[in-house]
Amino acid sequence: MSTETVLTIEHLNKSFGKKHIIKDLSMELNSGEVYGFLGPNGAGKTTTIKMIVGLLRIDSGSIKICGKDLLKNYEEAMGNIGGIVENPEMYKYLTGRQNLRQYARMRKGVTQKRIEEVIELVGLSNWADKKISKYSLGMRQRLGIAQAILHRPKILILDEPTNGLDPAGIKQMRGILRKLAHEEGVCVMVSSHLMSEMELMCDRVAIISKGELIEVQTIENLVNENSSTQQYIYQVNDVEALKKLLLDMYKDNEGVKAEQEDERTLVLTIPNELEKDLPKINKAVIEAGIELTTVSHKAAAKLEDAFIELTSDEQGGGQIA
Amino acid sequence: MLNLIKNEYIKIFAKTSMKVLLILFFITFIGFNILMKVSMRDTDSTDVEINNYRERLYDELKDDDKTYEYTIDGEKLWSVNFSKYIKDNDIDDEDPRIETLGSLYHLEKNMKGKKYDPYSGSGNQYRSYLVYRYILDNDIEYYATDEDIDGMSSGYGSNDFAQAFNMSISMEVLFMIVMVAIAGTIVSSEFASGTIKFYIINPVTRGKLIISKLLAIVSLFIIGSGVIYVLSIPINMLLHGTSGMGTQVLVVKGEDITAIPMLIYSLKSYGITMLGHLIYILMAFMLSSFARNNALAIASSIMLFALGSTAVEILLAFDQDWARYIIFANTNLTGIYKGLTQFPEQTLGFALGVIAVHFFLMILTAYDAFTRREI
């Protein structure tokens, strides 16, 4: 399947009052990829998404969807987009199927068969004739997905799509989205602040902070590039002694850090190239008479570190705008 | 566009509150008609009573050999010898024409002041004379005058059907309030329930969305009012008999009288009333398009409906001539058409112009608010 650029955002700007929320944002999204849109709360994720789906007006810049300008060719451009923004709110007094029929009437080429197909796909066959007022948040989220893919859009935009889903539902959703992207060539744009989620789902990730695009990378590159170091967790009886020992061993190497976490735990940070030294370090620890309970590799939250590193300001904390 | 309007209809009728409201309206509508029949029965004349009345009149008139002269300001209009008239026209004691003759007999023959003025009541007799003569000359059995239909007098000849029918279709005002409730929530409820997002994320411009809502409201008002009008016919035929169906409405304009079948004349004044009521529905629609609050739009429209014309009267009392440009000064189209205006030289064209400008501005405001709104 050949990839093509389906969504082009150029020099997008948006202010609310005097507050400049989105600053000169440019992005390109391709068909067949799951594109993660990552940023801390208030970074401008939802604002950007709302502009793409026509909920907010654009101050300046342009959004092109499959080559059609959103402002000049609104209906044609929007015909290629499906999405969920914030909570999936449907007409509570209608059934799931009646809700989908509402949206089918507003879009081109949605047959009765297609409606049944998407109901089946999101696993709501037994609930389609029940009113939305009886649905749980997870079920509404599924119906939201059904609504979004009803007209087979080329771009699917989902704001926090796993909100309210149980673990099984999240896994199923991930499967649906990856299948849509990789088998049907849909461009799936997913926003989230849950890094672990993104790591499992996305092919590429864009990180935005304070309304500015910081980095766009494939997941592998992002994790590797921003993790030049490895961390190991030592559980010992005497943390002070261990710390002294380690710092003595590497007093010339600034990349090595030993930080005490609690009275029995120490986190050792070493550059990637020193990983081969581990057996040597461990031997020295034993020889120094320090009781070593366990050593473990701190592997989790790779993207999370990259994310915090990229979005943190001078004070070192993740910002909340 | 038709699909969008269909969507709106589905949304309106699927709500439980709407179903309750419509059932309540229907019960009230039928109940009102039955109640009217019951209350009319007290004053209703039975066939025997009518025949007794006609016999009494007949006995009185057939022996009166005097010739009466009808004059206005000394000018002779008509002279009649009742006993001769009865003989010449083969009228017996059961003929309905005898009632009209009786009315003319009891009318003062010497009328003063030519012009009919509904405010002071002067010229009333002349107007009655013209109506009775027209009925007599054209042999009309069931009649009502235009003022009866337009609610400015309560005569209706001796005709229950015409009165009951026109009361029945006046229930349209209640339907208008139902429509105000629908129009006042049709946009704001999308915001209140959060459904606005999935509503907007569709390959349809916002302009089309808001116009489809407007068309749904206006068409529903027209269809609903039409149903009220059409249903009022069989209901009142059932309650009051079919004889009044052929009632002629006598439109008096100066000295000329024209007869129009009641069902047609009423339709015309019904349409004019609806046009006036559409103002409040559009107002609720406009408020709904920029309020997030459902209640606000409904409450303010109904308040304006109740207080708008009072406000104009207060301004009028303070000699504020500009008040003529306020829409509530121009909603009484029937009255304005007949020249019963609050402001000097307030013509029907002027009133329609003011209404058209307000309609345009209200729709434009709703359109603008909805298409530019940040969600």
Side-chain angles (χ1 to χ4, degrees):
Chain A
M1 203 179 299
S2 64
T3 55
E4 51 182 325
T5 304
V6 287
L7 176 62
T8 313
I9 297 173
E10 279 171 345
H11 306 295
L12 195 65
N13 280 286
K14 178 75 189 173
S15 301
F16 288 121
K18 280 182 185 155
K19 214 159 176 211
H20 201 171
I21 301 289
I22 301 295
K23 297 163 191 159
D24 211 38
L25 189 75
S26 299
M27 292 197 292
E28 279 190 351
L29 276 70
N30 302 323
S31 61
E33 70 173 345
V34 181
Y35 189 91
F37 197 43
L38 201 52
N41 292 332
K45 299 187 298 287
T46 301
T47 306
T48 307
I49 286 178
K50 280 185 169 181
M51 282 193 279
I52 302 173
V53 298
L55 290 173
L56 287 177
R57 285 191 301 148
I58 297 165
D59 284 355
S60 70
S62 77
I63 295 174
K64 280 199 181 70
I65 294 156
C66 298
K68 301 277 190 302
D69 191 287
L70 185 65
L71 297 181
K72 290 176 198 136
N73 275 318
Y74 184 80
E75 293 194 348
E76 277 179 72
M78 286 300 287
N80 290 311
I81 283 192
I84 306 179
V85 178
E86 293 170 333
N87 294 327
E89 301 291 354
M90 307 260 190
Y91 301 106
K92 289 194 167 59
Y93 44 85
L94 297 178
T95 67
R97 189 176 273 113
Q98 285 171 335
N99 264 290
L100 291 180
R101 286 201 186 121
Q102 284 270 327
Y103 303 116
R105 276 184 219 105
M106 300 170 87
R107 298 169 194 175
K108 284 194 185 88
V110 183
T111 58
Q112 188 58 41
K113 198 169 144 266
R114 175 65 182 164
I115 294 175
E116 299 311 317
E117 211 174 282
V118 294
I119 290 173
E120 185 75 31
L121 185 71
V122 298
L124 281 176
S125 301
N126 295 331
W127 282 81
D129 288 317
K130 296 213 168 57
K131 289 196 173 165
I132 303 297
S133 49
K134 299 208 164 55
Y135 279 37
S136 67
L137 177 57
M139 284 192 271
R140 281 191 280 132
Q141 192 71 265
R142 285 157 189 257
L143 193 62
I145 299 281
Q147 170 276 137
I149 60 174
L150 195 58
H151 53 306
R152 301 178 197 277
K154 292 208 173 83
I155 305 167
L156 190 58
I157 296 178
L158 306 169
D159 191 24
E160 315 268 356
T162 52
N163 241 352
L165 290 180
D166 54 22
I170 292 177
K171 196 168 173 224
Q172 197 188 359
M173 163 89 68
R174 204 186 295 142
I176 293 173
L177 296 184
R178 289 190 73 93
K179 187 168 174 259
L180 280 171
H182 300 151
E183 289 173 25
E184 294 181 30
V186 176
C187 168
V188 182
M189 180 180 185
V190 182
S191 88
S192 181
H193 57 260
L194 295 174
M195 275 62 63
S196 51
E197 190 56 54
M198 296 296 237
E199 215 171 327
L200 290 167
M201 200 171 355
C202 302
D203 303 312
R204 277 204 303 163
V205 174
I207 295 179
I208 83 163
S209 172
K210 288 181 169 172
E212 280 172 296
L213 189 66
I214 295 180
E215 182 142 10
V216 183
Q217 279 291 359
T218 61
I219 287 281
E220 299 87 54
N221 284 348
L222 194 66
V223 171
N224 293 338
E225 210 174 86
N226 293 288
S227 305
S228 53
T229 60
Q230 299 291 324
Q231 289 189 317
Y232 290 90
I233 300 162
Y234 282 81
Q235 294 266 327
V236 291
N237 65 337
D238 189 346
V239 174
E240 287 298 320
L242 178 64
K243 190 171 178 179
K244 193 166 173 297
L245 174 84
L246 291 168
L247 293 178
D248 281 347
M249 275 176 83
Y250 293 102
K251 55 176 170 276
D252 300 328
N253 195 326
E254 286 188 356
V256 177
K257 289 187 191 108
E259 284 162 26
Q260 183 170 357
E261 279 220 338
D262 58 51
E263 57 188 42
R264 293 183 57 82
T265 317
L266 181 136
V267 179
L268 171 68
T269 309
I270 55 171
N272 289 347
E273 65 271 18
L274 283 179
E275 259 192 300
K276 60 182 187 315
D277 275 8
L278 269 175
K280 203 178 84 187
I281 297 170
N282 290 346
K283 200 177 165 203
V285 172
I286 303 291
E287 280 170 357
I290 298 168
E291 284 175 25
L292 180 62
T293 317
T294 59
V295 182
S296 57
H297 189 211
K298 196 178 172 185
K302 286 172 295 193
L303 185 61
E304 191 165 314
D305 289 342
F307 171 68
I308 288 171
E309 200 167 306
L310 284 167
T311 59
S312 61
D313 54 23
E314 291 77 23
Q315 282 85 44
Q319 67 210 322
I320 291 171
Chain B
M1 191 50 106
L2 276 178
N3 267 338
L4 295 179
I5 296 173
K6 186 178 172 189
N7 271 353
E8 294 308 322
Y9 271 78
I10 290 171
K11 285 188 268 183
I12 290 168
F13 288 108
K15 283 179 195 149
T16 317
S17 57
M18 192 60 220
K19 286 176 193 153
V20 172
L21 213 55
L22 282 178
I23 290 169
L24 270 177
F25 174 77
F26 200 72
I27 292 171
T28 315
F29 178 61
I30 301 287
F32 179 73
N33 273 294
I34 293 171
L35 209 69
M36 213 152 44
K37 169 72 185 173
V38 173
S39 72
M40 274 179 175
R41 189 166 289 156
D42 300 339
T43 55
D44 232 1
S45 334
T46 61
D47 287 349
V48 178
E49 277 168 349
I50 289 172
N51 282 337
N52 285 345
Y53 176 59
R54 285 178 183 167
E55 263 174 48
R56 255 197 340 270
L57 281 172
Y58 181 77
D59 290 342
E60 194 177 346
L61 293 179
K62 76 172 192 320
D63 299 329
D64 193 334
D65 228 6
K66 220 172 129 193
T67 297
Y68 292 97
E69 235 177 48
Y70 288 80
T71 60
I72 182 156
D73 284 345
E75 183 190 334
K76 189 184 150 191
L77 296 168
W78 189 45
S79 65
V80 62
N81 181 316
F82 284 103
S83 63
K84 190 166 178 286
Y85 191 93
I86 287 171
K87 238 173 271 160
D88 289 353
N89 290 285
D90 275 338
I91 297 173
D92 60 23
D93 59 2
E94 282 175 16
D95 197 306
R97 276 179 290 180
I98 200 83
E99 286 183 38
T100 315
L101 281 175
S103 301
L104 276 167
Y105 185 68
H106 291 120
L107 202 67
E108 204 172 323
K109 279 71 180 174
N110 185 16
M111 291 160 267
K112 292 185 185 86
K114 234 175 203 171
K115 213 176 168 220
Y116 168 62
D117 180 0
Y119 280 146
S120 64
S122 73
N124 246 330
Q125 286 184 332
Y126 180 49
R127 187 171 185 278
S128 301
Y129 164 81
L130 289 172
V131 168
Y132 293 140
R133 277 294 308 277
Y134 190 88
I135 293 164
L136 200 62
D137 293 349
N138 294 281
D139 199 12
I140 293 168
E141 188 171 4
Y142 290 101
Y143 76 96
T145 67
D146 52 347
E147 298 201 339
D148 300 332
I149 305 292
D150 298 331
M152 283 184 272
S153 76
S154 51
Y156 287 103
S158 57
N159 190 343
D160 285 351
F161 180 86
Q163 187 175 4
F165 175 78
N166 280 286
M167 294 287 266
S168 174
I169 60 174
S170 72
M171 290 294 277
E172 178 261 358
V173 71
L174 212 61
F175 181 64
M176 175 210 79
I177 291 171
V178 174
M179 285 306 302
V180 163
I182 297 173
T185 55
I186 195 162
V187 183
S188 53
S189 71
E190 301 266 7
F191 284 95
S193 66
T195 50
I196 186 73
K197 278 171 258 161
F198 285 161
Y199 182 61
I200 295 288
I201 307 177
N202 278 296
V204 182
T205 59
R206 288 201 200 182
K208 278 188 194 163
L209 294 178
I210 190 77
I211 294 295
S212 74
K213 281 188 186 290
L214 174 70
L215 291 179
I217 289 291
V218 174
S219 62
L220 186 58
F221 179 54
I222 292 170
I223 292 170
S225 305
V227 168
I228 292 171
Y229 193 89
V230 172
L231 266 187
S232 292
I233 299 172
I235 289 174
N236 284 292
M237 271 165 59
L238 219 63
L239 294 171
H240 303 280
T242 53
S243 53
M245 278 288 284
T247 300
Q248 299 286 314
V249 176
L250 307 182
V251 181
V252 187
K253 235 186 173 176
E255 320 234 322
D256 297 324
I257 293 185
T258 32
I260 300 169
M262 184 196 69
L263 289 179
I264 291 171
Y265 183 86
S266 290
L267 190 63
K268 197 185 84 187
S269 51
Y270 192 64
I272 291 173
T273 311
M274 276 172 63
L275 190 65
H277 286 166
L278 192 58
I279 292 164
Y280 304 99
I281 294 169
L282 286 183
M283 204 172 293
F285 178 75
M286 174 190 73
L287 290 168
S288 172
S289 75
F290 53 78
R292 253 168 218 271
N293 191 329
N294 285 335
L296 183 77
I298 303 172
S300 25
S301 308
I302 291 179
M303 217 170 73
L304 286 171
F305 172 63
L307 301 176
S309 45
T310 315
V312 170
E313 267 165 43
I314 291 170
L315 287 170
L316 196 64
F318 287 99
D319 278 334
Q320 302 294 313
D321 188 66
W322 55 267
R324 67 167 68 219
Y325 297 103
I326 296 177
I327 193 159
F328 306 112
N330 296 285
T331 48
N332 178 20
L333 288 171
T334 317
I336 291 168
Y337 176 66
K338 291 180 181 302
L340 309 178
T341 58
Q342 291 172 302
F343 297 91
E345 285 162 45
Q346 188 184 12
T347 61
L348 187 66
F350 174 83
L352 287 174
V354 171
I355 289 175
V357 167
H358 278 80
F359 275 11
F360 178 75
L361 288 178
M362 285 193 286
I363 292 169
L364 191 72
T365 311
Y367 184 93
D368 188 65
F370 186 75
T371 51
R372 279 156 32 113
R373 190 159 171 174
E374 307 260 33
I375 298 160

